[in-house]
């Protein structure tokens, strides 16, 4: 069907266009921005482009994305805009991204009283409690430890919350599922530091506390700390971003985001959980029977189709690639199936390697669209054998509106015009 | 042991170094290579008792860590009006920030309301959280006495303690919260 806006016509996606451009045109507002810009530039085939006839910009100290990508942003909101604007979240715009690594500046944020501006020279990590020697570590000391790098996702357990609304919200994949991001994290295995401090018998939990204005505090079983926990110092090769815990954060691969305490200042070995506010009032999962699950750390197997998804538009019939990301707190993604007929039949997508443990895995499946209506779904399986549940199955045990650890199947409907919408199935 | 997960990264080169050493004895004794890659350089500074006292302010659910001092409901009402009411509303009714009262008995219903009174299993959490994180516009500004008084007032508003009760390290730890048995421990699952 002809686009409403004639400007958009010039930018009709063609299959030989780069993927990024092809799907950006799907969003009406983005398409409009692009077309306005295009009019000011020579699009005429007879003329060589301006940027070939003038010297480009010189070098810069720190690169930024192309100005033409300015619309690729994290949507953000605070639950308390007037009194506590720093308590809220921003979300990774998955519908506009490819690959598996989230650019550091687009990693989701969830803060409980803003982002502290920490001087690393004045920041120390204290390890104390049931230890032989309470020890303090500065950033420069930790940077001299044997470091490891790991590609891991972090996901807030409140991710995908918008889908607990009674009617499916018509918002982008990122606005729904963007409280999950993947980075290459580099840091010190926590076990090394704990052994230096000397773990005393009786220690079974660790209280982790951040140096933000909430003193964010969570209790972690010691087992996890001795397993694959790290004190992350770098994200995607550079020092952590302030929003991600500069100068150091706890990284607990596969565990709910809030336990990956940012701006980490203190680890106290204890013989029981501390029962902090954010492991009682929040981040506990209330069931229908009035009891709440507590210390539900591991994140379930999950996937979301990022293209095509809400906001994209299939402008013409033909070959498309359905793609998205899958992840699990249990280990590796082993399979992602795609249905284009509302779950009646499923076909395996290709998993693009390397498939890291507790990390985003990109899946892809070529698909011909013939101008008919469809409901697209993806269903992931992990190496523990867990399969992504349906919305009905997932929500069954929980109290109304409870939405922590939501990992159910996302469905996108395509209408005959190629427009995408969010649907519950 | 679990640190092995990380050790695998270094196992290749390390094994090489070790086996070269064994077979040819070519590795000089002062090569400096660590034979224990899962060991750190020991750069931690031992923390003093006074520093521990300043930094460790968390309160355990049995009351461990509660400081000296005390506060009454009446004192708490005054502090609340001055430092909390603007965000948590009159008598903790909420708005613009979370309500601090109500919902007791609602958890099983169609509209569960989770507040300090209806949901939190321990009173220690109220003291711990208030002292470190509230008021949100000036965290860590409350004295211990003020924090006891505010805890008393909020518990009183929820009908959990009587108006005459005084909160201190002893009494706060004894407070029996309505939803004390409301949680299932999933940490080992």
């Amino acid at each position: 069907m002809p686009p409403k806006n004639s400007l958009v016509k010039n930018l009709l996606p063609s299959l030989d266009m780069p993927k990024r451009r092809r799907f950006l045109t799907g969003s009406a507002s983005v398409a409009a921005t692009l077309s306005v810009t295009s009019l000011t530039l020579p699009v005429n085939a007879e003329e060589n482009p301006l940027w070939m006839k003038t010297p480009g910009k010189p070098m810069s100290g720190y690169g930024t994305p192309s100005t033409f990508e300015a619309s690729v942003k994290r949507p953000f909101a605070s639950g308390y805009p007037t009194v506590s604007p720093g308590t809220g979240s921003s979300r990774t715009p998955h519908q506009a991204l490819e690959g598996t690594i989230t650019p550091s500046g687009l990693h989701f944020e969830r803060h409980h009283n803003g982002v502290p501006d920490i001087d690393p020279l004045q920041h120390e990590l204290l390890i104390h409690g049931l230890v032989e020697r309470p020890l303090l570590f500065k950033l420069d000391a930790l940077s001299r430890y044997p470091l490891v790098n790991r590609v891991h996702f972090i996901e807030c357990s409140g991710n995908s919350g918008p889908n607990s609304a009674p009617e499916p919200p018509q918002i982008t994949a990122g606005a729904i599922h963007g409280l999950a991001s993947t980075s290459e994290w580099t840091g010190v295995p926590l076990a090394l530091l704990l052994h230096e401090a000397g773990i005393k018998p009786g220690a079974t939990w660790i209280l982790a506390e951040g140096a933000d204005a909430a003193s964010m505090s969570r209790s972690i079983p010691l087992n996890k700390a001795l397993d694959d926990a790290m004190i992350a110092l770098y994200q995607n090769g550079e020092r952590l971003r302030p929003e991600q815990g500069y100068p150091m954060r706890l990284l607990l691969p596969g565990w709910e985001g809030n336990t990956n305490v940012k701006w980490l200042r203190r680890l106290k070995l204890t013989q029981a959980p501390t029962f902090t506010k954010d492991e009682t009032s929040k981040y506990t999962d209330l069931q229908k029977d009035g009891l709440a699950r507590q210390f539900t750390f591991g994140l379930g197997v999950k996937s979301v189709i990022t293209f095509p998804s809400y906001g994209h538009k299939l402008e013409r019939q033909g070959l498309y690639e359905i793609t998205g990301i899958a992840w699990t707190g249990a280990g590796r993604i082993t399979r992602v199936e795609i249905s284009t007929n509302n779950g009646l039949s499923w076909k395996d997508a290709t998993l693009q390697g390397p498939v890291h443990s507790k990390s985003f895995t990109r899946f892809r499946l070529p698909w011909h669209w013939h101008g008919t209506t469809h409901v697209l779904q993806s269903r992931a399986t992990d190496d523990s054998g867990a399969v992504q549940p349906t919305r009905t199955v997932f929500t069954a045990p929980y109290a109304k509106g409870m939405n922590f650890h939501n990992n159910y199947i996302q469905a996108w409907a395509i209408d005959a015009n190629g427009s995408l919408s969010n649907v519950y199935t | 042991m679990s640190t092995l997960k990380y050790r695998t990264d270094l196992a290749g080169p390390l094994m090489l170094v070790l086996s070269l050493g064994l077979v040819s004895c070519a590795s000089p004794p002062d090569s400096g290579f660590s034979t224990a890659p899962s060991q750190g350089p020991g750069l931690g500074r031992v923390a003093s008792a006074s520093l521990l006292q300043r930094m460790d302010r968390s309160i355990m659910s049995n009351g461990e860590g509660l400081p000296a001092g005390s506060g009454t409901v009446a004192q708490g009402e005054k502090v609340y009006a001055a430092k909390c009411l603007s965000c948590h509303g009159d008598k903790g009714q909420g708005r613009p920030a979370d309500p601090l009262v109500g919902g007791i008995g609602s958890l099983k219903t169609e509209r569960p309301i989770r507040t300090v009174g209806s949901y939190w299993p321990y009173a220690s959490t109220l003291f711990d959280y208030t002292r470190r994180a509230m008021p949100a516009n000036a965290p860590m500004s409350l004295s211990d006495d003020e924090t006891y008084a505010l805890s008393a007032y909020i518990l009183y508003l929820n009908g959990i303690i009587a108006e005459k009760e005084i909160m201190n390290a002893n009494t706060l730890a004894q407070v029996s919260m309505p939803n004390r048995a409301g949680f299932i421990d999933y940490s080992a699952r």
Side-chain angles (χ1 to χ4, degrees), chain A residues 248-374:
Chain A
M248 55 188 76
R249 85 176 298 168
L250 185 58
L251 194 81
L252 302 178
W255 281 23
E256 66 178 6
N258 186 254
T259 63
N260 293 250
V261 174
K262 296 181 284 192
W263 315 294
L264 188 69
R265 79 188 282 257
R266 189 162 74 92
L267 292 168
K268 181 185 190 182
L269 280 73
T270 58
Q271 49 196 358
T274 302
F275 293 98
T276 68
K277 176 256 191 183
D278 285 290
E279 58 209 23
T280 54
S281 172
K282 301 283 147 51
Y283 305 106
T284 48
D285 313 38
L286 184 63
Q287 302 178 153
K288 280 199 174 108
D289 64 3
L291 295 173
R293 301 179 187 181
Q294 193 169 34
F295 305 121
T296 44
F297 297 121
L299 292 156
V301 59
K302 190 162 178 176
S303 69
V304 57
I305 293 172
T306 54
F307 179 87
S309 61
Y310 173 85
H312 297 145
K313 188 158 195 285
L314 308 185
E315 295 283 3
R316 58 169 68 161
Q317 298 178 25
L319 181 64
Y320 286 88
E321 184 176 72
I322 297 173
T323 184
I325 42 175
W327 65 98
T328 170
R332 286 185 167 77
I333 290 292
T334 52
R335 183 180 197 191
V336 177
E337 300 156 280
I338 301 219
S339 173
T340 57
N341 55 12
N342 201 12
L344 278 177
S345 61
W346 297 85
K347 187 170 163 52
D348 277 22
T350 303
L351 301 185
Q352 174 118 48
V355 177
H356 293 289
S357 179
K358 304 173 186 179
S359 164
F360 285 175
T361 296
R362 176 65 57 177
F363 61 87
R364 305 181 187 283
L365 187 69
W367 179 58
H368 285 274
W369 183 56
H370 300 300
T372 49
T373 62
H374 291 271

